[in-house]
Amino acid sequence: MPDLFSKWKKGLARTRNATFGRIASALGATELSADTWEEMEAILLQADLGVGETSGLIETLKNSANEKGLTHIKDLQDELRLQLLNRLDSPDPIDINQTPYVIMIVGVNGSGKTTTIAKLAHRMVAEHQKTMLVAADTFRAAAVDQLQVWGEKLNLPVIAGQQDADPGSVAYDGIQSALARKMDVVFVDTAGRLHTRFNLMEELKKVQRVISKALPGAPHATWLILDAATGQNAIAQAKAFKESVDVTGIILAKLDTSAKGGMAFTIQRQLGIPILYVGLGETIDSLEPFNREAFVEGILESLPASSGE
Amino acid sequence: MFDSLSERLNKVFQQLRRRGKLSAADVDAVMREVRVALLEADVHYSVVKDFIARVRERAVGVEVSEALNPAQQVIKIVHEELIATLGAPARLNLSGQKPHVIMLAGLQGAGKTSAAAKLAKMLRDQGERVLLVAADPYRPAAVTQLQTLGGQINVPVFHVEKKAPPALVKQAVDTARKGGSSVVILDTAGRSQLDDGMMTELAAIHQETTIGETLIVVDAMTGQEALNIAAGFNKSIPLTGIVLTKMEGDARGGAAISIRSVTGIPIKFLTTGETIDALENYEPERLASRILGMGDMLTLIERAETTFEADNAREQAEKIITGQFTLEDFADQLKQLKKMGGIGQVMDMLPGNMGAAARMQSPDIAEKGLKLTEAIISSMTIDERRHPDILNASRRRRIARGAGTEVQNVNRIIKQFREVQRMMKTFKKSGRQGLAGMFR
């Protein structure tokens, strides 16, 4: 087990000392008390799971504590870990079952779309997939340049339009080019947009329609990039993007910061969108497939219980 | 998804018996709702705890008055405490020797580069000679991004290839001094407060250059971590202000409270859109209302006030009160709405559910609807506009032809106008109470 996510743990290592350790001090006591429940609640809320999901979890915990006759804090922590794990899916591996396999990347401004695409492309190249990048963010100043720099670094073709060009036509050109050059995987980078901007969400739908016109069945996947530090607004984001472009997976970027990304847990629970990858650093190889155990450890890392295992 | 706090509290109070004073139990029930509202707004858990304790102390024993129902009274207390916590608006400190150096720091993707350009434009418009400094050599094309934005607003951007940020900033400030710039804005690379190497770099910039303002740029969508982020930055560099970005979205912005409470530094600016003008001064009342889910009615009201010419507004008010509101006035109001920035922007400022419902509609379609209404009213004679009663079938057909549309649309507009007229008559009869009823 440790090998499976040792890299993940390394990414998280620097967060360990930074987070609160209040429950550790409360652990002098080993018997359950009212404080224990409050501490548990505090941990879940501070991991951004949200009020609804947290109270649901605490309720379940209380019930199973009664049923199983749990009286020690340690037992309760194990139960909490189990409950969190049970609520998360392990995503299926990405199946490149047809080529070119087109993946559209969407998200709000600053969530980390372009950097994540570079990391994803790096992974695909390692798996010997012929990969192409399409820079359909023609709005933000220098967004195209940013993707092109990555393309050069990774030695990958980048199809780009002019600043302020129609993103749909750039995407169309990209797919045409990928077909002609017999690419395996195509990543389409889109402009960051807040999910509340009606016109921008319409534009995104159009980009998706254009892609499916250029290649029926495409995009084969649409991934939403979420900043791990986002709070409850992430749920509104996921809902809106799902409604507009049918998001099929979530990538949780910047999880190497002190943020726990608990809202991704809530999104998976409420909207059924699986978390596929997590971003764990600035280097190109710092994107890891989602791992339930490591993610839950991240949420619970202020609990000292796992040291005994 | 989010009920506004007033809706939540009203539900609680329906279950309480009305007594002379709020009991401790009453207040507890209310505080549970306030707590949920604040947590849903992303205010940090521990900050909420302290806040609730303060409000509880003030709320117990409060007299239930005739004017305000218990819910309203508690909201008032919560609102006041929230404003006190958020703190008074603070200006940029541009005193001392020129050039004044303003540094922007924050996490990756918080919006530093955009904020730097927006701030540069605002200060340039105030008559400052601004120099932007691209001090982010790490993110690909970050420098190009600032150069492009600088080009758009005609503000020079300083950058030297392959120079470490502390030395680069020093050189930039020297250049600014010699070139007669009055303000230097430093756009630094995004970094996590846990990244020791990068935080040391930030501290080095701060040590080698005299910096007047050190602003932390924080995404309004940030969750519980805002507290740790701000505390971490404040430990490495002495922060002097907060810029809250991406406020045009629907995030409540509770992170601002967390940051205020852990650092004590004032909020200075909010960014509210992708255009380069979208930088606003911070108003505590407005942000407090938003965090509590009461919408941004103040902005809406303010913009309405500045847009409506004063005389016109008074005249319209009189007409409304005397019940002489005609189709002509209706057309006038549509024009004003356009001046307020179009229906899309107005929709975004509506509170909670109203805003969400409005946003489900395409602003384009709504805009088209307005144009059609205008066309229909313009196709009427002045007499018809003043006395809609004379609009018989043949007149309606003529109007439809004139506006290039079907008679059904003309009928619909007249019906809508009648409804507005009826609403205004009710309002006139019941006076203030009637208005309060509409918003309850």
Side-chain angles (χ1 to χ4, degrees), chain A residues 1 9 13 21 47 51 68 73 119 127 163 172 205 210-211 225-226 252 263 270 284:
Chain A
M1 182 73 79
K9 280 211 158 153
V51 177
K68 298 181 186 173
I73 290 179
K119 292 176 180 179
E127 290 167 20
Q163 179 82 29
Y172 189 87
K205 283 188 204 168
V210 168
I211 291 174
I225 314 297
L226 284 179
L252 201 49
M263 78 301 170
Q270 289 185 0
I284 189 79

Side-chain angles (χ1 to χ4, degrees), chain A residues 109 195 229 233 254 258 282, chain B residues 49 108 221 223 225 246 250:
Chain A
N109 315 59
H195 53 287
N233 194 249
K254 310 181 214 174
S258 54
E282 304 239 37
Chain B
K49 222 172 152 177
Q108 289 95 340
M221 298 180 275
E225 280 308 300
K246 305 179 204 173
D250 58 356

Side-chain angles (χ1 to χ4, degrees), chain A:
Chain A
M1 182 73 79
D3 286 328
L4 192 67
F5 52 85
S6 59
K7 199 173 191 177
W8 187 317
K9 280 211 158 153
K10 211 174 93 195
L12 292 175
R14 57 181 176 189
T15 72
R16 295 197 183 277
N17 299 329
T19 46
F20 49 95
R22 289 182 304 119
I23 198 155
S25 61
L27 267 217
T30 55
E31 299 292 312
L32 295 190
S33 68
D35 285 351
T36 318
W37 296 113
E38 211 189 308
E39 294 282 358
M40 296 258 168
E41 191 192 27
I43 283 170
L44 297 175
L45 286 174
Q46 290 181 39
D48 286 318
L49 263 78
V51 177
E53 202 61 32
T54 297
S55 31
L57 267 164
I58 296 287
E59 213 40 53
T60 312
L61 269 184
K62 279 185 177 164
N63 287 338
S64 57
N66 278 338
E67 279 166 25
K68 298 181 186 173
L70 307 179
T71 53
H72 283 72
I73 290 179
K74 166 88 172 65
D75 297 335
L76 201 66
Q77 287 166 351
D78 291 343
E79 185 66 24
L80 175 59
R81 179 174 290 108
L82 191 72
Q83 293 291 347
L84 285 168
L85 283 174
N86 283 347
R87 284 168 162 77
L88 283 169
D89 298 330
S90 281
D92 300 326
I94 309 305
D95 182 17
I96 311 289
N97 48 12
Q98 47 195 307
T99 57
Y101 192 83
V102 181
I103 302 167
M104 186 162 100
I105 302 294
V106 301
V108 300
N109 315 59
S111 55
K113 285 175 296 301
T114 308
T115 309
T116 303
I117 285 178
K119 292 176 180 179
L120 283 166
H122 176 75
R123 285 190 77 88
M124 291 297 173
V125 170
E127 290 167 20
H128 308 292
Q129 307 280 5
K130 278 180 75 181
T131 305
M132 177 185 268
L133 310 179
V134 179
D137 178 357
T138 51
F139 180 78
R140 181 167 64 86
V144 170
D145 304 63
Q146 190 180 348
L147 198 66
Q148 271 167 340
V149 171
W150 280 118
E152 274 165 38
K153 277 189 188 170
L154 297 166
N155 199 17
L156 294 176
V158 178
I159 304 298
Q162 294 297 313
Q163 179 82 29
D164 297 327
D166 172 44
S169 71
V170 179
Y172 189 87
D173 291 348
I175 306 297
Q176 291 297 329
S177 170
L179 283 165
R181 293 159 81 168
K182 296 200 169 24
M183 287 289 156
D184 297 323
V185 179
V186 181
F187 287 104
V188 180
D189 189 13
T190 62
R193 64 201 75 223
L194 291 186
H195 53 287
T196 49
R197 309 309 299 194
F198 183 91
N199 289 337
L200 295 179
M201 295 304 275
E202 287 297 305
E203 180 196 86
L204 196 61
K205 283 188 204 168
K206 189 186 152 201
V207 172
Q208 198 178 44
R209 278 198 305 274
V210 168
I211 291 174
S212 69
K213 254 185 205 152
L215 176 64
H220 306 93
T222 301
W223 293 344
L224 172 67
I225 314 297
L226 284 179
D227 186 328
T230 312
Q232 296 313 297
N233 194 249
I235 294 147
Q237 289 174 26
K239 250 185 206 158
F241 277 101
K242 187 180 161 104
E243 264 168 36
S244 296
V245 289
D246 192 22
V247 171
T248 57
I250 280 172
I251 299 180
L252 201 49
K254 310 181 214 174
L255 195 60
D256 58 316
T257 60
S258 54
K260 306 289 194 301
M263 78 301 170
F265 178 94
T266 305
I267 287 169
Q268 207 209 325
R269 291 267 299 148
Q270 289 185 0
L271 304 177
I273 311 172
I275 312 166
L276 304 176
Y277 294 96
V278 298
L280 292 169
E282 304 239 37
T283 55
I284 189 79
D285 58 354
S286 61
L287 185 83
E288 291 288 306
F290 178 71
N291 176 303
R292 290 192 297 174
E293 285 80 10
F295 182 68
V296 169
E297 283 315 307
I299 290 176
L300 297 180
E301 65 190 1
S302 48
L303 292 175
S306 56
S307 59
E309 286 170 10

Side-chain angles (χ1 to χ4, degrees), chain B residues 138-182:
Chain B
Y138 308 107
R139 177 163 64 91
V143 175
T144 324
Q145 187 185 351
L146 193 65
Q147 281 166 342
T148 309
L149 293 171
Q152 284 171 15
I153 53 172
N154 271 323
V155 169
V157 176
F158 184 90
H159 180 68
V160 182
E161 285 289 325
K162 295 193 172 115
K163 192 152 196 169
L168 175 102
V169 167
K170 227 176 150 190
Q171 191 183 335
V173 175
D174 278 345
T175 309
R177 190 173 295 120
K178 282 173 198 148
S181 299
S182 57

